[in-house]
Amino acid sequence: MKMLIKGGQVVDPINRLDQVLDVLVIDGKIAQLGTDLNQEDATVIDARQMVVAPGLVDMHVHLREPGFEEKETIATGCAAAARGGVTTLVPMPNTRPTTDCPEIVRFIQNQAASTGIHVLPAGAVSVGQRGQQLTDFTALKAAGVPALTDDGLPIQNMALLRQAMFQAKELGLPILDHCEDRDLVQNYSVNEGKISVQLGLPGRPAIAEALQIMRDVMLAEDTGAHIHICHLSTKKGVDIIRQAKAKGICVTCETCPQYFMLTEEEVLRQGPLARVNPPLRTWEDREAILAGLEDGTIDAIITDHAPHTEAEKAKPLPDAPSGMVGLETSLALSLTVLYHSGRLTLTRVLDLMSHSPAALLGLNKGCIGIGDDADLIVFDPEQEWVVDRDQFVSKGRNTPFHGQTVRGRVKYTISMGKIIYQEG
Ligand code: DOR
Ligand code: ZN
């Protein structure tokens, strides 16, 4: 199996490569990089005017299977990933049953095996995500989980979380924490502030995120564990993490396009489509997230791809489920807002979406060196297109970006040297 990708601008964040080159792939690995390469019996991809980059690594995705197949299946979620240029993803454990034991981890791995996407399920921290008893971290690690999390239902009990951190540290696994104090946010639907007041609804305050990040950072310092803060949404949170990193505490974090693009006002325009946990925040928060991406405080861009059915999202704001899909739009949105605006370099955007999350999970992904896995994307960085939810291959149509013009279009997604998505 040979593939020759000719004449693309090869961008590899970690090998500091940004150069027009041919890429030769043999048996699923990068075999050669150079100019004017030729190879008999290779599939040839014409990548002129295109960028060739590592396949994206999305470390925070909800695939919904087992248990919620009406929202998404592993097959449809992985097809959406391929269309968006994502070749490696980490599904969250809030399935039914929850991913809290090796059997469910293996079920997900088996379902994903034929998709071409590297699916590495995160294990739950607590049995049933109930926050009472820790899962068997050793068994979960042996089954292949790259991280532990109770995403969506963060652990409130500090003794349990501290114990989890000691064990996770021993095993070299990060804990991914959705930081919102549950007493402060209840099941409220919007940010606490002018919009919640205007709508007459109780809100989820920014301090609910900041308090838990502060708690986690202090526990990480105390235990030496690696804590990774999920989908950062507030200025306070960015500030705490920036300071913690300066102190040398082992903390990393991620954010999503919705937090550097949208603000709470979106709820007035789009209602439940703009409902997400943590909620869309203020303009100041959005600016702080952008600043965190610029100065390296934020380590990864993820989607938090959270498909829901149209019927569920048609409910009134207080009753509709939280979340938005993202796999098919994240690259284009990130390129549009971060790269084409001149805020971040192309290399930095691609690093945030590939090598950087891979590295913090200890995965050898997101690089284009000789011998590396040939997980690659070929995209036109300039092509404009309009987000159309009816074109999604995900079962989820719940995007707040429908109708938006974006710039940057995936042409090919390649996993282990095989084309798993080709435009058109
Ligand atoms: O908006 C969200 N949706 N946030 C979460 O933490 C969970 C997710 C979901 O599972 O739908
Ligand atoms: Zn979450």
Side-chain angles (χ1 to χ4, degrees):
M1 286 282 284
K2 293 172 186 165
M3 176 184 284
L4 186 56
I5 306 168
K6 291 210 57 100
Q9 178 193 351
V10 180
V11 178
D12 179 355
I14 190 62
N15 294 311
R16 303 255 163 231
L17 197 63
D18 183 352
Q19 205 178 318
V20 174
L21 287 172
D22 299 341
V23 182
L24 177 65
V25 173
I26 299 180
D27 293 335
K29 304 278 182 191
I30 310 288
Q32 212 182 332
L33 298 165
T35 46
D36 293 322
L37 296 184
N38 280 300
Q39 179 68 45
E40 299 265 304
D41 57 278
T43 309
V44 176
I45 292 180
D46 179 1
R48 284 172 298 168
Q49 317 301 320
M50 304 286 155
V51 170
V52 179
L56 306 180
V57 177
D58 188 340
M59 62 179 291
H60 192 135
V61 171
H62 297 272
L63 290 182
R64 306 302 190 202
E65 187 182 348
F68 303 99
E69 290 81 359
E70 71 283 6
K71 295 176 196 267
E72 191 84 290
T73 65
I74 291 167
T76 57
C78 287
R83 187 162 180 262
V86 173
T87 51
T88 298
L89 61 83
V90 178
M92 294 294 109
N94 60 341
T95 46
R96 191 175 57 207
T98 50
T99 312
D100 63 1
C101 62
E103 289 70 29
I104 306 297
V105 173
R106 280 195 284 269
F107 169 81
I108 295 168
Q109 291 164 338
N110 288 338
Q111 293 294 97
S114 58
T115 64
I117 305 291
H118 306 286
V119 174
L120 307 168
V125 176
S126 72
V127 176
Q129 288 186 281
R130 283 190 290 275
Q132 281 159 10
Q133 181 194 343
L134 297 184
T135 56
D136 185 341
F137 292 3
T138 307
L140 286 167
K141 178 169 175 164
V145 310
L148 299 160
T149 180
D150 272 3
D151 179 52
L153 298 169
I155 295 200
Q156 303 293 292
N157 180 321
M158 286 205 217
L160 195 74
L161 183 57
R162 186 161 180 264
Q163 199 191 332
M165 285 194 190
F166 280 124
Q167 288 191 21
K169 181 187 183 220
E170 211 55 47
L171 292 165
L173 290 174
I175 290 183
L176 323 178
D177 206 11
H178 174 131
C179 284
E180 283 191 290
D181 181 278
R182 287 166 69 179
D183 295 323
L184 287 172
V185 300
Q186 305 284 333
N187 64 347
Y188 303 153
S189 53
V190 295
N191 184 44
E192 182 184 284
K194 64 174 190 245
I195 303 301
S196 65
V197 170
Q198 192 174 327
L199 294 174
L201 293 170
R204 305 170 84 96
I207 191 74
E209 177 170 286
L211 282 170
Q212 290 229 329
I213 294 175
M214 184 65 94
R215 174 197 77 167
D216 282 11
V217 158
M218 294 186 82
L219 284 172
E221 183 177 34
D222 176 55
T223 61
H226 174 187
I227 188 87
H228 174 84
I229 310 299
C230 295
H231 38 53
L232 193 62
S233 70
T234 60
K235 177 177 189 306
K236 285 184 171 58
V238 177
D239 290 343
I240 296 166
I241 294 168
R242 186 179 289 117
Q243 284 167 22
K245 284 189 164 188
K247 277 180 79 181
I249 297 171
C250 191
V251 56
T252 55
C253 66
E254 62 189 33
T255 193
C256 320
Q258 52 265 31
Y259 302 117
F260 59 74
M261 293 185 68
L262 305 178
T263 59
E264 57 184 345
E265 282 83 6
E266 206 60 35
V267 174
L268 300 179
R269 288 187 281 270
Q270 304 211 47
L273 280 180
R275 178 173 175 172
V276 61
N277 295 340
L280 301 176
R281 307 284 189 183
T282 67
W283 187 83
E284 286 75 21
D285 292 307
R286 200 194 83 143
E287 287 301 305
I289 296 289
L290 285 166
L293 287 163
E294 278 168 345
D295 74 4
T297 301
I298 298 176
D299 301 276
I301 296 172
I302 56 98
T303 58
D304 195 9
H305 179 80
H308 294 293
T309 64
E310 286 198 39
E312 291 169 309
K313 277 293 192 183
K315 291 178 181 174
L317 191 56
D319 307 320
S322 299
M324 27 185 85
V325 291
L327 283 168
E328 294 172 75
T329 50
S330 62
L331 178 64
L333 293 171
S334 300
L335 290 173
T336 304
V337 175
L338 304 176
Y339 167 59
H340 289 301
S341 66
R343 276 190 187 252
L344 265 62
T345 63
L346 182 58
T347 306
R348 173 89 178 119
V349 174
L350 294 172
D351 189 25
L352 284 160
M353 301 187 79
S354 62
H355 184 266
S356 180
L360 73 87
L361 292 171
L363 307 175
N364 191 20
K365 294 286 183 189
C367 35
I368 312 183
I370 305 301
D372 286 336
D373 291 343
D375 295 347
L376 298 165
I377 52 174
V378 178
F379 67 92
D380 181 343
E382 301 301 334
Q383 187 182 331
E384 288 196 339
W385 57 285
V386 177
V387 175
D388 178 358
R389 63 179 167 228
D390 298 318
Q391 301 280 314
F392 286 170
V393 296
S394 168
K395 283 193 182 184
R397 298 283 183 272
N398 48 307
T399 177
F401 298 110
H402 178 70
Q404 186 135 334
T405 301
V406 291
R407 198 160 151 209
R409 178 93 175 164
V410 177
K411 299 290 173 180
Y412 293 90
T413 303
I414 296 155
S415 174
M416 303 303 279
K418 288 203 188 83
I419 296 173
I420 58 166
Y421 168 77
Q422 181 174 356
E423 189 196 29

